[in-house]
Amino acid sequence: MKKNIYRNIALVTMAFAIAVASMMAVSWWQMRRATPLQTEVMETLKQLGEANPDNAVLSGQIRQLDLLSRKAFFTGESQLKTGGWILCAMAAVIAFCLRMYYSAARQLPSKDLDTTDEWLTKSHARRYLRIGAACLVAVGLIAVALGPISKRSRVGQAGKSTSGQVNKSTSQQVNKSTSQQVNKSTSQQVNKSTDGAASGEWSLLQLSRVATEVERSSTDGAASGEWSLLQLSRVATEVERSSTSGQVNDTTQSAQALLPEVLHAPEDSNTLNSPSVPDSPDNPGSSTAPEEPADTLPIPKLTWNAFRGNGGSGRSSVRGLPTTWNLKSGKNVLWQKPIPRHGYSSPVVNGRNIFVTGADAEGRELYCFDLWTGELRWTLRATGISGSPGEMPDVSADTGLAASTVATNGKQVCAIFATGDVICADMDGKRLWGKNLGVPDNHYGYASSLLLYGSELIIQYDNNVGARLMALSVTSGRELWSRSRTDKIAWSSPILTKAAGKQAVIVVGNPAVTAYQASDGQELWRVECMSGEVGASACASDGIVYAASEYATCVAINASDGEVLWQADDCLPECSSPVATKSRLYVATSYGAVCAYDAASGKVVVQHELTTPFYSSPVIADGRVWLFSNSGKCYIFSTRDDFRLITSFDTGENTFATPAFTDSMMIVRTDKSLYVVRKE
Amino acid sequence: MRNTVLVARFPKPDFTSGYQYPDVLHRVPMETFWSWVDVVLLVGMMGFVAWAVHRRRSRRAILAVSIVSVLYFGFFRTGCVCSVGSIQNVVLAMAGGDGYRLPLVVLLMFLLPLVFALLFGRVFCAGVCPIGALQELVNVRQWHISRAVTSALSFIPWVYLSFAILYAATRSQFIICRFDPFVGIFRMGGDVGMLVFGVLLMVLSVFVGRPFCRFLCPYGALLGIVSRVAVKRVKITHRQCINCRLCHHACPVDAIREPCGGKVAESRTIGTRRVALYLLLLPLLTVGAALLLQSQSDTLSMAHRDVWLYTQLRSDNPPAVLPAEVEAFHEMGRSMDELEASVVSVKESYRRLSAWAGALMGFVLGCKLVRLSLKRTRKTYEVDPSTCVACGKCFSYCPQAGRSTSQPMEQRAENGVYSNYPESRQRSSVAQHVNESTRFIKNSQHEEKHL
Amino acid sequence: MERREFLRTCGTLITGGGLASLGGVLGSKASAVEGETMWQIDPERCLQCGRCETECVMRVSAVKCFHANQVCGYCDLCGGYYREGVKELNTAAENLMCPTGAITRRFVEEPYFEYTIDEDLCNGCGKCVKGCSSFGNGSLFLQIQQERCLQCNECSIAKVCVSGAIQRVPVGTAYKLKDHA
């Protein structure tokens, strides 16, 4: 009888405890969802109150809400506290009652329970342990196999390929050895031999499998569950294998992560003349009409995030570009659209968004075009920025107010204009911040392009007064660091590469080429070799930084220590920036010569006299060098040692900007319009 | 960098009304006093439990200690610092964490239970540890879990311990404290996830004896090792034992092993070969696990805030809102070189220590496998000293103790209170025992009714 | 059986020796005086990120705003008391900075006001501290109220503190005050 009383008390208390607990949970949830002290309602009300200081009703409301929310907060707090104590007391009561109840009905062992065979238990325990350990090992090995992928994407952006490759090869080795082991152990299973341990492989999987073998050869009866371990390790191997192969397939697609630097310029012979380059499966075939509903069109993977590509490398791993197109007939041209305002800035592309800027005396604007349709998705005007000059600074006609290329990272996009106005927007054109850096004292007009490194927006602000290199927070516009520069005015743009073991920003100025640590702007090295008006940016390949400027020199600098490897002055660019591969440096001049330097010696190996000025920069894409002359003639060169001119044709529109590339597409800006080239 | 120089923008006021600055006194609690009270109580309670277990063989005394422990160490002292967590402080001090001085109290918290375990078995677990006491107090039922499963699960504490050591030695985190499921209950607050986990564990421990102690507690793993060679241990007095199995079924941690022997269905050579091979595998497992964990050291090192911050700073896809740490890094004007140097050294120590942690795991795994391949015969019921937490439940279940005199059990046996029991009852074959004990159970049931 | 006993005795001795040497080694590193520590916020490193309010294991944080009267300017327009851009200097809710109303002020003499923090109401959000350090003498600062602090083995605020301002300090210097700076 007594024990039933205890049971009933326990049950009733339990019911109460559950009720109290759920009430507390609800109250906690409410308090969590709207911390009464900082409700948005309150904030907006307070802001409203600030706007209308004389509105007595409003302030009355605020006061009332304030009182209410505080009351709610403190009642909630005390509720939770008392609830906690009540719950504890109830738990004690329940525990006590249950104890009494069950001690009254003491458990006695049933007869048939006690016949466990300890040896069987032990062998089961061994098996569970092995399975558990194998699971842990499998997790570890999968992590090892996945490591290179994530590392690769990280390393790729840092512009370093070796460690990724090493990792990959290790993981392949691991794969190989594991599959060998599986085979081996299967054969062992047949032979029932026990000498598997002799192989000396380090892999833990192997070890646990040896253990399995031992078991199998020794216990016949308990062997039933043994296969599961083998199965498990097989699964692990398979997972690894598939992840590795996936990784190989991914390499081309995830090349967005790879700076083109990682890829050495591939050979062009087979891709150019044979039509065998298939579209990557992600891209629709030529049958896909561009008028298709916009949402079903794929988002390309390759990006071109800044002037001359990611980090300013001038290279893209794009494939399958057409080698000819016609703007009039529209052959191989996806679309062509006018750009509302004029500018010399180059397009950048990330996902389906193409960003360009344009400006005139009436307005400075950042445009976002849709890659597939050419529709102008949004326009962002640089207005309402404090410190922005009312009157436009004097700029020359061939620089303009929008000569600087924007930079993006796929989440934010930033633009700068010759007025010193910087604006930053998200991908939907919502302005995040705007800032004026001080009107540049610049007789041609400010022209350096932006660069994004992580959360830093890096700006080379080399003007006649207050030359500096600075990094702003891309999310807030706040200055993260700033380095004043002794260099004179320049129009070149910063690039990113690895120097002295660190991610570095290379700035070509007058009179020095300087490497700054990208994270805090510390100077890594400085080489004084330039003079005159510097307009061409640096480029880098395989640990060598190249810089060239007309009336100065062309110089190759060891990125790790700033040592000058060679200097030459045969073929020097004015506005066009050079681009380099492992073995060659390509330079396009404003007097019509296009040259290939030998990267090792600095000798001009091949020179084409094309008698037309080049302001646009050569870029390496699809295994070829692409170059537009000012008059709009497109030249395509081989990246092989002979630097053969493969083809050239007139596009018919003046082109000063450098093209941008994404999956099998090229985006070109002419002096009036924007068009996208894509193989039909 | 910020705020380093306090700029008095507004001058100190010149009071003319004779205003006096208020005297504000910020009191410091008697933390030192209380922590010494902790130590004294710890010793006293462990001594009391040792006496209750070895001399009195009394469950009630241990339950009383449990209640005191839950109230004092648990609810009053809110569970910090406890012996379980003190592992990390000790490791941190051993790793030579710069500027970290190990408080003497913490050292005693760590060492005393180990010393007592060496002398008297796991008397700390019995009822002094508030975590164990709480689970013990709510435990009323014993769901049967196969020993194969429990002995495999007892590997988890070692994994937990290895990671706790790794993270503590690298000054990354105190994971034992962070993932303590019961501290939230004692404080009635804290992380909601851990609170829910704690309540679930508590509900589970109503039906399963001490799930945290057995399958999670890293300190319990250490105590188990030490108590294996304990001087005094909880014993079944064989001369009085009638093999009724009641204690075996009552034991919340399944520490009472039943008699076994002779039933192994494999030849001796195979068994020996297995043991030899596992012994051979032991070093290989150790090295293999060390290498495997070491290969992950870079990933593991993300738990360190400097490494995390560094990767955030280096991130090429910054989130729409920068983490506050990144903003703070720039605001503090900390130099990147300094951070880089720190990251390099942290990663280096991770490489070293993760190998050791992996080796520990591999070694324990190997040892467990070896132990599980050893054959043992037992003629009678025996207590496994490494799993026994000295909770005394078996005493209260023992029918022989029921006819108590005030004398402790061993003395009674020595004095020959039950010497009139036939010899066959005390030393007979397993089969006979089973028969007899069932008969006895019937008797004892009968007796219980009358009682 | 004897062999087993012998082995166990050996094990006991070895373990005992091990524990003793471990105790010796650690004892040399341990300290009874300096070792006793408490958690403390260094107000000079604190950036008022607001995590003290939310990260403490207690429902209402043990971190409180402290006020150094010696440093205070006793201004009427107090950057810690009033919201930014306040129009009227009165105690109406819409004008005040503190979300819990933990700061009270008392008129001393023209033009000075004395500010006091009600610790029971303060939740350690640090809004007033931010206000006071950007427009004021910085006499308001955050500090762990040691009597409320549970002295967790690892402070859960310290774990996420953006500037690493929370550190263990010896008990003797439990508070870092600005009064006598």
Side-chain angles (χ1 to χ4, degrees):
Chain A
M1 252 357 261
K2 230 179 188 177
K3 75 179 193 187
N4 283 343
I5 292 176
Y6 284 125
R7 191 193 57 195
N8 293 343
I9 294 176
L11 285 177
V12 170
T13 327
M14 252 184 247
F16 267 115
I18 289 170
V20 171
S22 40
M23 263 158 60
M24 278 171 69
V26 169
S27 143
W28 170 79
W29 184 251
Q30 277 176 340
M31 285 180 66
R32 189 170 156 268
R33 273 187 38 195
T35 322
L37 298 179
Q38 290 142 359
T39 44
E40 279 180 29
V41 185
M42 191 71 185
E43 282 305 307
T44 35
L45 269 182
K46 281 189 181 176
Q47 270 162 14
L48 266 177
E50 255 168 43
N52 327 297
D54 304 324
N55 192 334
V57 184
L58 199 62
S59 34
Q61 270 179 337
I62 294 173
R63 285 166 211 180
Q64 209 169 4
L65 185 67
D66 182 70
L67 201 67
L68 265 176
S69 63
R70 279 182 211 188
K71 223 177 205 168
F73 177 77
F74 286 106
T75 353
E77 282 301 327
S78 63
Q79 269 174 1
L80 279 187
K81 199 162 191 175
T82 35
W85 282 113
I86 290 173
L87 269 189
C88 277
M90 282 177 169
V93 170
I94 294 169
F96 178 75
C97 290
L98 285 179
R99 184 167 283 278
M100 295 311 283
Y101 174 70
Y102 282 113
S103 69
R106 198 163 259 196
Q107 267 178 292
L108 290 171
S110 58
K111 243 188 250 177
D112 53 334
L113 243 176
D114 214 19
T115 48
T116 43
D117 175 357
E118 177 160 285
W119 187 243
L120 198 66
T121 314
K122 275 191 173 176
S123 58
H124 282 178
R126 280 202 301 276
R127 189 198 306 154
Y128 295 149
L129 258 185
R130 283 198 312 272
I131 291 172
C135 288
L136 281 180
V137 169
V139 168
L141 285 181
I142 288 169
V144 170
L146 288 178
I149 296 175
S150 55
K151 218 174 261 173
R152 175 165 274 257
S153 61
R154 241 177 285 142
V155 165
Q157 298 206 345
K160 186 178 144 198
S161 63
T162 41
S163 79
Q165 282 163 358
V166 168
N167 277 324
K168 195 175 130 201
S169 63
T170 353
S171 82
Q172 276 170 348
Q173 270 172 8
V174 170
N175 277 333
K176 215 189 251 173
S177 66
T178 352
S179 62
Q180 277 169 359
Q181 284 159 19
V182 171
N183 293 336
K184 198 185 287 166
S185 64
T186 332
S187 70
Q188 278 174 349
Q189 186 183 348
V190 177
N191 297 334
K192 295 212 167 187
S193 67
T194 51
D195 53 2
S199 63
E201 299 261 5
W202 60 268
S203 159
L204 216 81
L205 210 64
Q206 167 77 352
L207 299 183
S208 52
R209 196 164 301 108
V210 173
T212 322
E213 285 308 310
V214 177
E215 281 298 317
R216 186 173 295 115
S217 57
S218 47
T219 29
D220 294 316
S224 59
E226 305 294 5
W227 60 270
S228 63
L229 180 68
L230 201 69
Q231 205 79 342
L232 206 130
S233 41
R234 261 192 210 134
V235 169
T237 327
E238 230 124 83
V239 168
E240 265 178 72
R241 205 180 283 148
S242 64
S243 70
T244 324
S245 62
Q247 175 193 334
V248 171
N249 290 340
D250 273 356
T251 326
T252 41
Q253 289 154 15
S254 71
Q256 98 175 58
L258 300 168
L259 264 191
E261 206 166 320
V262 176
L263 304 171
H264 303 304
E267 300 298 56
D268 63 309
S269 56
N270 58 338
T271 50
L272 185 64
N273 296 326
S274 66
S276 65
V277 184
D279 272 331
S280 86
D282 289 68
N283 292 333
S286 46
S287 58
T288 318
E291 302 84 51
E292 213 177 306
D295 293 324
T296 63
L297 291 164
I299 295 170
K301 295 205 169 66
L302 290 181
T303 57
W304 187 270
N305 283 334
F307 177 54
R308 295 164 62 235
N310 298 348
S313 68
R315 289 182 296 251
S316 169
S317 54
V318 60
R319 288 275 158 197
L321 291 173
T323 51
T324 182
W325 61 88
N326 192 321
L327 286 175
K328 293 216 171 61
S329 71
K331 183 190 170 219
N332 286 338
V333 174
L334 192 60
W335 50 262
Q336 181 175 22
K337 299 275 168 168
I339 298 175
R341 287 180 209 270
H342 183 261
Y344 291 103
S345 68
S346 303
V348 306
V349 56
N350 186 307
R352 284 185 57 169
N353 299 325
I354 301 172
F355 302 104
V356 285
T357 57
D360 51 31
E362 275 75 51
R364 303 168 300 286
E365 288 169 345
L366 165 65
Y367 307 108
C368 173
F369 288 89
D370 186 277
L371 175 68
W372 285 106
T373 61
E375 166 207 359
L376 180 58
R377 285 190 56 213
W378 47 263
T379 301
L380 183 69
R381 288 176 67 98
T383 51
I385 297 167
S386 69
S388 180
E391 204 171 297
M392 291 301 114
D394 276 339
V395 294
S396 67
D398 54 2
T399 306
L401 289 163
S404 310
T405 303
V406 305
T408 182
N409 56 16
K411 294 196 178 76
Q412 294 100 3
V413 54
C414 305
I416 188 169
F417 299 95
T419 49
D421 291 333
V422 186
I423 50 170
C424 185
D426 66 10
M427 291 295 111
D428 298 319
K430 187 180 151 229
R431 184 156 121 186
L432 302 173
W433 52 271
K435 191 174 181 175
N436 188 280
L437 300 175
V439 183
D441 177 3
N442 195 315
H443 47 276
Y444 294 141
Y446 180 78
S448 297
S449 297
L450 299 174
L451 188 63
L452 267 170
Y453 169 71
S455 54
E456 299 171 2
L457 174 66
I458 293 168
I459 305 172
Q460 178 187 350
Y461 214 56
D462 286 355
N463 298 307
N464 284 322
V465 180
R468 62 193 194 273
L469 181 74
M470 65 187 122
L472 308 183
S473 162
V474 69
T475 45
S476 64
R478 193 165 54 175
E479 186 171 290
L480 299 176
W481 51 261
S482 170
R483 299 279 160 177
S484 66
R485 282 165 56 76
T486 53
D487 294 54
K488 298 193 189 81
I489 186 166
W491 294 263
S492 60
S493 302
I495 69 159
L496 260 182
T497 186
K498 193 131 185 165
K502 301 187 167 107
Q503 278 298 308
V505 178
I506 310 286
V507 176
V508 187
N510 174 14
V513 181
T514 319
Y516 295 92
Q517 191 168 327
S519 47
D520 59 1
Q522 215 170 58
E523 189 175 302
L524 296 171
W525 47 255
R526 178 177 166 87
V527 178
E528 299 209 353
C529 54
M530 290 294 159
S531 60
E533 298 189 323
V534 175
S537 312
C539 67
S541 174
D542 292 272
I544 303 175
V545 171
Y546 303 92
S549 181
E550 202 162 31
Y551 308 119
T553 183
C554 174
V555 62
I557 302 166
N558 185 342
S560 56
D561 55 5
E563 181 201 358
V564 175
L565 300 173
W566 51 259
Q567 260 182 302
D569 48 12
D570 305 324
C571 187
L572 301 171
E574 184 194 351
C575 295
S576 166
S577 304
V579 65
T581 65
K582 199 173 185 172
S583 56
R584 289 286 182 268
L585 173 72
Y586 304 109
V587 175
T589 66
S590 56
Y591 53 85
V594 179
C595 318
Y597 283 92
D598 178 39
S601 64
K603 296 269 174 305
V604 172
V605 201
V606 186
Q607 179 160 353
H608 298 280
E609 293 292 349
L610 301 172
T611 64
T612 171
F614 294 95
Y615 278 11
S616 166
S617 303
V619 280
I620 295 169
D622 204 359
R624 281 155 276 188
V625 180
W626 303 72
L627 182 60
F628 288 85
S629 76
N630 292 3
S631 59
K633 195 165 180 184
C634 176
Y635 295 90
I636 304 173
F637 301 93
S638 157
T639 51
R640 299 190 129 191
D641 286 351
D642 59 1
F643 193 46
R644 179 169 53 95
L645 177 62
I646 295 165
T647 180
S648 67
F649 58 94
D650 241 315
T651 60
E653 289 194 21
N654 292 346
T655 308
F656 302 98
T658 305
F661 300 87
T662 182
D663 292 6
S664 63
M665 282 183 256
M666 169 159 69
I667 299 106
V668 186
R669 182 191 196 163
T670 69
D671 58 353
K672 296 191 284 286
S673 67
L674 188 71
Y675 65 88
V676 169
V677 176
R678 182 169 180 276
K679 196 178 256 177
E680 277 167 8
Chain B
M1 297 297 272
R2 279 176 72 265
N3 289 353
T4 40
V5 184
L6 201 72
V7 194
R9 294 191 183 88
F10 302 100
K12 220 171 164 175
D14 261 338
F15 293 114
T16 50
S17 60
Y19 170 81
Q20 293 288 312
Y21 284 105
D23 217 9
V24 188
L25 189 69
H26 297 294
R27 274 169 310 171
V28 179
M30 296 187 296
E31 191 61 28
T32 326
F33 168 76
W34 282 114
S35 55
W36 282 103
V37 171
D38 288 353
V39 173
V40 170
L41 266 177
L42 184 73
V43 175
M45 283 160 83
M46 282 196 297
F48 181 72
V49 171
W51 172 78
V53 168
H54 295 296
R55 303 294 301 171
R56 282 292 304 166
R57 292 172 82 87
S58 155
R59 161 85 164 154
R60 226 171 247 180
I62 295 167
L63 279 182
V65 170
S66 301
I67 291 170
V68 172
S69 164
V70 167
L71 290 179
Y72 177 77
F73 285 118
F75 285 102
F76 179 64
R77 297 287 291 149
T78 57
C80 254
V81 51
C82 70
S83 298
V84 184
S86 72
I87 300 172
Q88 302 162 116
N89 302 57
V90 166
V91 166
L92 182 57
M94 295 258 274
D98 47 321
Y100 180 73
R101 300 284 294 194
L102 182 67
L104 191 58
V105 170
V106 176
L107 174 62
L108 291 174
M109 286 288 226
F110 174 74
L111 276 182
L112 285 173
L114 287 170
V115 172
F116 269 80
L118 187 64
L119 297 174
F120 307 111
R122 294 168 68 170
V123 287
F124 172 72
C125 302
V128 186
C129 174
I131 299 174
L134 188 65
Q135 294 174 89
E136 186 67 46
L137 286 175
V138 298
N139 176 248
V140 287
R141 299 288 282 175
Q142 299 304 321
W143 280 356
H144 181 76
I145 306 177
S146 158
R147 179 166 296 149
V149 176
T150 55
S151 57
L153 284 179
S154 68
F155 181 51
I156 299 175
W158 288 100
V159 178
Y160 195 6
L161 178 67
S162 307
F163 278 108
I165 290 176
L166 172 64
Y167 284 132
T170 51
R171 308 207 94 185
S172 303
Q173 284 188 354
F174 278 10
I175 55 169
I176 298 178
C177 297
R178 183 165 172 199
F179 298 108
D180 183 341
F182 292 106
V183 79
I185 293 174
F186 292 141
R187 288 174 179 156
M188 292 194 286
D191 183 62
V192 176
M194 288 323 288
L195 254 177
V196 170
F197 180 48
V199 170
L200 287 181
L201 259 185
M202 229 169 93
V203 172
L204 181 68
S205 57
V206 172
F207 308 101
V208 176
R210 298 181 173 239
F212 179 82
C213 303
R214 284 201 284 170
F215 310 132
L216 282 172
C217 181
Y219 194 61
L222 290 181
L223 288 172
I225 292 290
V226 174
S227 62
R228 214 179 271 281
V229 291
V231 177
K232 265 186 101 65
R233 35 183 62 205
V234 177
K235 269 197 194 126
I236 294 171
T237 45
H238 295 301
R239 291 177 62 191
Q240 292 169 302
C241 178
I242 48 162
N243 288 328
C244 65
R245 301 173 301 167
L246 284 171
C247 57
H248 170 62
H249 285 281
C251 183
V253 292
D254 206 9
I256 295 176
R257 304 282 147 99
E258 62 275 68
C260 71
K263 276 211 263 178
V264 179
E266 61 177 27
S267 78
R268 194 178 166 76
T269 43
I270 289 173
T272 322
R273 199 189 288 162
R274 178 190 294 115
V275 174
L277 257 156
Y278 275 135
L279 277 174
L280 270 178
L281 273 177
L282 185 62
L284 291 180
L285 272 172
T286 313
V287 173
L291 287 174
L292 188 70
L293 202 66
Q294 191 178 31
S295 71
Q296 290 307 301
S297 69
D298 276 5
T299 317
L300 294 170
S301 68
M302 285 292 279
H304 195 279
R305 56 189 302 158
D306 275 2
V307 181
W308 182 84
L309 176 65
Y310 186 74
T311 46
Q312 289 293 312
L313 282 164
R314 281 280 186 262
S315 157
D316 294 276
N317 293 312
V321 180
L322 274 185
E325 283 87 351
V326 176
E327 299 264 350
F329 174 80
H330 291 298
E331 204 163 328
M332 298 281 293
R334 226 176 129 192
S335 113
M336 198 70 188
D337 282 340
E338 185 192 321
L339 182 69
E340 236 162 45
S342 151
V343 166
V344 168
S345 77
V346 166
K347 284 199 168 169
E348 175 52 37
S349 60
Y350 260 96
R351 257 187 291 283
R352 195 161 37 84
L353 287 160
S354 59
W356 281 109
L360 176 62
M361 279 190 260
F363 182 72
V364 170
L365 178 68
C367 287
K368 281 203 180 292
L369 284 172
V370 171
R371 268 185 66 82
L372 286 170
S373 337
L374 291 174
K375 269 168 233 167
R376 288 207 47 190
T377 51
R378 270 189 303 273
K379 293 211 174 67
T380 53
Y381 282 89
E382 273 177 24
V383 180
D384 175 9
S386 69
T387 42
C388 172
V389 291
C391 65
K393 202 167 188 178
C394 46
F395 304 152
S396 69
Y397 272 77
C398 184
Q400 292 290 69
R403 321 170 175 180
S404 76
T405 66
S406 61
Q407 282 171 307
M409 207 61 165
E410 276 162 330
Q411 269 178 22
R412 268 184 276 152
E414 278 155 22
N415 294 348
V417 176
Y418 299 118
S419 54
N420 56 346
Y421 270 62
E423 187 67 19
S424 62
R425 229 178 195 185
Q426 292 169 27
R427 299 267 184 272
S428 59
S429 74
V430 174
Q432 271 175 315
H433 277 302
V434 172
N435 285 334
E436 289 197 358
S437 52
T438 32
R439 206 170 63 223
F440 184 83
I441 288 161
K442 279 179 192 153
N443 289 345
S444 63
Q445 273 174 311
H446 189 67
E447 275 168 30
E448 238 172 48
K449 270 179 200 161
H450 283 273
L451 282 170
Chain C
M1 237 25 212
E2 288 211 336
R3 187 189 50 159
R4 191 159 280 171
E5 281 303 319
F6 174 71
L7 281 178
R8 186 187 297 156
T9 317
C10 287
T12 312
L13 290 175
I14 292 170
T15 319
L19 278 181
S21 50
L22 183 69
V25 170
L26 288 170
S28 68
K29 289 179 192 257
S31 160
V33 187
E34 291 167 59
E36 281 302 313
T37 55
M38 289 180 149
W39 294 102
Q40 182 198 65
I41 299 179
D42 183 348
E44 281 169 18
R45 300 186 68 175
C46 172
L47 297 176
Q48 299 100 36
C49 62
R51 289 190 183 175
C52 285
E53 181 199 348
T54 52
E55 298 296 325
C56 185
V57 293
M58 305 196 14
R59 278 292 300 172
V60 178
S61 175
V63 173
K64 301 287 170 195
C65 178
F66 279 36
H67 187 210
N69 290 84
Q70 302 275 353
V71 184
C72 180
Y74 287 79
C75 318
D76 187 1
L77 174 58
C78 172
Y81 187 68
Y82 287 118
R83 282 161 59 86
E84 214 176 322
V86 65
K87 299 286 187 311
E88 273 177 86
L89 301 186
N90 56 25
T91 56
E94 70 267 24
N95 296 332
L96 302 187
M97 175 82 92
C98 182
T100 54
I103 311 181
T104 50
R105 76 171 189 168
R106 185 175 71 87
F107 176 71
V108 181
E109 61 178 69
E110 199 57 46
Y112 300 128
F113 286 85
E114 181 194 72
Y115 294 89
T116 322
I117 313 267
D118 185 343
E119 246 172 37
D120 288 327
L121 296 181
C122 177
N123 62 355
C125 66
K127 288 197 173 87
C128 57
V129 179
K130 205 162 206 140
C132 182
S133 45
S134 58
F135 180 76
N137 288 358
S139 61
L140 294 170
F141 56 100
L142 290 179
Q143 203 56 197
I144 293 170
Q145 170 50 263
Q146 301 291 7
E147 282 195 314
R148 293 171 194 262
C149 178
L150 297 176
Q151 305 297 347
C152 299
N153 199 11
E154 189 189 41
C155 175
S156 61
I157 314 174
K159 206 168 59 198
V160 293
C161 177
V162 294
S163 57
I166 302 184
Q167 301 282 350
R168 296 171 198 272
V169 295
V171 171
T173 54
Y175 292 103
K176 188 163 184 182
L177 303 175
K178 286 187 168 181
D179 273 302
H180 310 292

